[in-house]
Amino acid sequence: MRLIIVVVRFVLSMAKTFYLGTLLMGLEQRRAIWAIYVWCRRTDELVDGPNASHMTPRALDRWEKRLDDVFEGHPYDMLDAALSDTVSKYPVDMQPFKDMIEGMRLDLRKSRYNNFNELYLYCYYVAGTVGLMSVPVMGIAPESKKSVESVYIAALALGIVNQLTNILRDVGEDARRGRIYLPQDELASAGLSEDDIFRGQVTDKWRSFMKDQIKRARKFFDEAEKGVAELKATSRWPVWASLLLYRQILDAIEANDYNNFTKRAYVGKAKKFVSLPVAYGRALMSTPT
Ligand SMILES: CC(C)=CCC/C(C)=C/CC/C(C)=C/CC/C(C)=C/[C@@H]1[C@@H](COP(=O)(O)OP(=O)(O)O)[C@]1(C)CC/C=C(\C)CC/C=C(\C)CCC=C(C)C
Ligand SMILES: Nc1ncnc2c1ncn2[C@@H]1O[C@H](COP(=O)(O)OP(=O)(O)OP(=O)(O)O)[C@@H](O)[C@H]1O
Ligand SMILES: [Mn+2]
């Protein structure tokens, strides 16, 4: 019984949903995705984790130097070694890794974004990069007729929109940390001030602003969906799973009547569970065009 509980909890948490989805992959490929995931998680923990208050640009410089060592085949610990192994087996480029570190630097010094261009750049650094890192491991289907570039554009869109969604979900939480990721110019045109965000009242102005933000995010999801079919068959399931799960957070924000100040938009366990076979079905149906 205990084992069953452990297994069910494991399956239901989000990170593990990716993991479950990767079971169709071969061991080597799954290990490679895992190694990239762990490196990303650790990089994020530097600025988001328990020791984040001690984080300095210098420490990020050291982390970047360590990345150079990993790519040169000189890992510092076992988790690094998994990434060294990955980059020796797959044509993974170092630039997106460097860009993610740059995103963490940006997050340290910046807490406002003037317009969507600036926000887009931040989302690229911290999440679009994940898409670029993953494609060389997941692989493009040999029968795909689309350009390699278009697949990367879709992967980029998925990373970016996951981050946008994360930002839309966490408006209240971020404001309590003094951070507003939403584009200032768009807030202003909607007649919203920073104080409105800090006060956190769900007004009609706020609802209307949020509707536009969600609409834009969905366009990115649509863009990303177009690319999944071009991936190798075994990679489509985890990507569909993560796409569907993240996309449903937008629905959950709507269901909360746009109260992302004090209510966390949450995809319930039942919906998550259903998403897995749905993702599986889509993975089977979506083949390269
Ligand atoms: C199969 C699959 C999804 C593979 C990707 C696995 C992988 C390497 C994930 C790394 C994710 C990570 C830890 C990134 C660090 C930066 C970060 C935290 C970004 C945010 C994720 C949200 O998680 P978080 O736990 O931080 O949430 P909280 O803030 O704590 O609430 C992000 C929003 C980004 C996640 C980005 C992706 C999963 C990109 C996925 C894109 C692809 C796999 C490309 C797919 C290819 C095509 C052609 C569509
Ligand atoms: N039901 C959900 N609805 C919306 N977002 C979720 C849900 N579950 C998880 N997430 C998001 O996905 C991210 C990754 O999930 P993950 O399972 O890695 O969480 P975690 O913080 O590592 O906690 P745990 O170790 O307990 O699983 C979470 O930080 C959260 O932002
Ligand atoms: Mn985070």
Side-chain angles (χ1 to χ4, degrees):
M1 189 60 198
R2 269 190 64 126
L3 181 69
I4 295 174
I5 293 171
V6 169
V7 171
V8 169
R9 288 187 55 168
F10 180 86
V11 166
L12 287 174
S13 72
M14 191 97 138
K16 291 91 193 180
T17 314
F18 301 148
Y19 182 78
L20 189 82
T22 60
L23 288 179
L24 284 184
M25 295 176 168
L27 188 60
E28 194 168 275
Q29 201 183 12
R30 188 173 347 137
R31 279 196 179 137
I33 289 288
W34 177 83
I36 295 173
Y37 174 82
V38 168
W39 185 87
C40 291
R41 183 94 270 167
R42 287 217 277 181
T43 305
D44 184 53
E45 288 287 311
L46 294 176
V47 290
D48 252 3
N51 297 319
S53 54
H54 311 296
M55 192 33 57
T56 60
R58 287 266 326 264
L60 284 171
D61 293 345
R62 284 200 298 277
W63 185 245
E64 185 168 356
K65 170 72 185 60
R66 188 163 152 174
L67 177 70
D68 289 327
D69 293 340
V70 167
F71 270 74
E72 279 162 21
H74 303 296
Y76 187 83
D77 67 11
M78 284 186 38
L79 300 174
D80 284 352
L83 188 58
S84 286
D85 186 51
T86 297
V87 305
S88 74
K89 287 178 176 149
Y90 294 91
V92 180
D93 197 88
M94 181 156 59
Q95 196 57 44
F97 292 83
K98 296 225 162 189
D99 287 346
M100 184 179 281
I101 298 175
E102 191 53 36
M104 303 300 154
R105 285 195 188 98
L106 189 64
D107 204 25
L108 284 183
R109 63 168 189 261
K110 195 169 159 100
S111 64
R112 297 293 186 277
Y113 293 81
N114 287 319
N115 47 49
F116 186 68
N117 262 337
E118 289 186 18
L119 178 61
Y120 177 92
L121 190 63
Y122 171 68
C123 292
Y124 160 69
Y125 280 138
V126 299
T129 47
V130 180
L132 304 188
M133 295 168 191
S134 311
V135 172
V137 174
M138 295 191 298
I140 299 176
E143 65 275 26
S144 169
K145 289 184 188 63
K146 289 223 178 119
S147 67
V148 169
E149 196 189 354
S150 73
V151 180
Y152 275 92
I153 288 171
L156 198 58
L158 185 55
I160 285 167
V161 75
N162 282 348
Q163 188 62 35
L164 282 177
T165 301
N166 205 286
I167 286 169
L168 296 179
R169 183 192 65 191
D170 295 340
V171 172
E173 199 182 307
D174 290 334
R176 284 185 283 282
R177 297 187 300 129
R179 321 191 68 87
I180 300 175
Y181 291 98
L182 303 166
Q184 298 282 329
D185 61 346
E186 294 174 21
L187 283 168
S189 348
L192 293 157
S193 68
E194 290 207 346
D195 267 353
D196 289 321
I197 308 271
F198 291 125
R199 268 195 297 269
Q201 300 283 352
V202 183
T203 57
D204 280 340
K205 274 185 192 162
W206 179 252
R207 287 190 190 92
S208 146
F209 171 80
M210 278 304 300
K211 275 181 200 167
D212 288 343
Q213 301 294 314
I214 290 175
K215 198 166 167 190
R216 173 164 59 207
R218 287 193 173 126
K219 282 198 193 132
F220 278 87
F221 274 116
D222 294 343
E223 190 64 41
E225 289 192 7
K226 287 191 229 155
V228 192
E230 311 305 317
L231 296 172
K232 284 203 172 134
T234 51
S235 304
R236 285 175 215 145
W237 189 25
V239 173
W240 269 119
S242 84
L243 192 156
L244 292 176
L245 284 171
Y246 251 85
R247 198 176 175 138
Q248 287 176 90
I249 295 175
L250 297 177
D251 306 340
I253 297 173
E254 289 171 342
N256 284 346
D257 190 28
Y258 307 99
N259 180 3
N260 42 7
F261 297 116
T262 55
K263 265 178 126 171
R264 188 170 167 110
Y266 190 80
V267 180
K269 290 190 188 331
K271 283 199 175 131
K272 276 192 180 181
F273 215 82
V274 171
S275 298
L276 283 173
V278 171
Y280 190 79
R282 297 231 180 156
L284 281 181
M285 285 182 328
S286 55
T287 47
T289 46

